Amino acid sequence: MKGKEKELENNVFFWQKLDTLILSSQIEIIRKKGEPSVDYPGLIYPVDFGCVKDTISAPGTPFYCFKGTLNSLSATALIVQADILSREVFTKVLIGCTEEECRLILKFINATEFQKAILVRRGIEVPSWASSDQ
C-alpha cells in the first residue's frame, strides 16, 4: 500500500508463537459442528467449537477456538469479536480451517445484532522492524 500505512502489520513470528501454544495444549470441543448455540438456538455451529486447554485469552477467560476439517493444528486466522450484551471483546482462534469454513464462522458470529467480529487471516510477512523472533 504505497503512500498509505498498513492497516495491520501481520507478523509471521506471532503466528509461530500461536501455533506453539496450540501444539503444546489440548483442544476441548464444547459444541460439535451442527449443534445449536446455547444463547441463540437458531444459530448452528458451522464447525467444532471449543477451547485451547491451559491457555487463557484474558484473566479467567478460556481461549476459545473453532476447529475446522483440515488435518492441521496450525492457526488459520483469528476472530476478534465485540459483544455489547456481555460488554466483552473476545479473541478466538481458527484452527485447521478452510477458506469456506472461515467465511462460515465469520457469518455465524456476525448473525446477531449484539455481536460483530472481524477476521484476521494468517500472514507470512516478517515485519520491517524484525530480523528474527528474538
Side-chain angles (χ1 to χ4, degrees):
M1 296 204 290
K2 199 169 189 174
K4 292 184 180 180
E5 286 190 41
K6 288 184 176 181
E7 291 180 22
L8 172 71
E9 184 166 65
N10 218 321
N11 183 337
V12 68
F13 303 122
F14 166 79
W15 295 102
Q16 289 173 346
K17 300 302 184 238
L18 189 53
D19 285 346
T20 299
L21 283 173
I22 294 165
L23 290 168
S24 64
S25 302
Q26 292 182 352
I27 298 172
E28 177 185 352
I29 301 301
I30 300 168
R31 294 276 180 262
K32 295 289 238 177
K33 175 182 177 176
E35 290 183 2
S37 166
V38 173
D39 297 324
Y40 304 99
L43 292 178
I44 306 299
Y45 281 91
V47 298
D48 290 346
F49 174 76
C51 64
V52 180
K53 299 293 286 177
D54 302 319
T55 305
I56 58 173
S57 66
T61 304
F63 188 30
Y64 291 112
C65 67
F66 288 94
K67 176 65 179 89
T69 57
L70 296 177
N71 190 21
S72 169
L73 289 178
S74 291
T76 307
L78 285 174
I79 289 279
V80 180
Q81 171 185 346
D83 187 320
I84 62 170
L85 287 182
S86 65
R87 302 189 56 80
E88 295 180 276
V89 175
F90 298 100
T91 303
K92 298 173 181 170
V93 63
L94 282 61
I95 302 170
C97 292
T98 66
E99 188 59 35
E100 176 66 8
E101 288 169 334
C102 290
R103 188 187 68 74
L104 290 171
I105 293 164
L106 192 58
K107 183 179 177 183
F108 171 78
I109 291 177
N110 283 307
T112 76
E113 62 184 295
F114 304 111
Q115 57 188 20
K116 296 299 175 194
I118 60 169
L119 182 71
V120 180
R121 288 180 171 79
R122 185 182 189 117
I124 59 169
E125 298 85 20
V126 176
S128 59
W129 50 263
S131 58
S132 73
D133 68 344
Q134 298 180 15

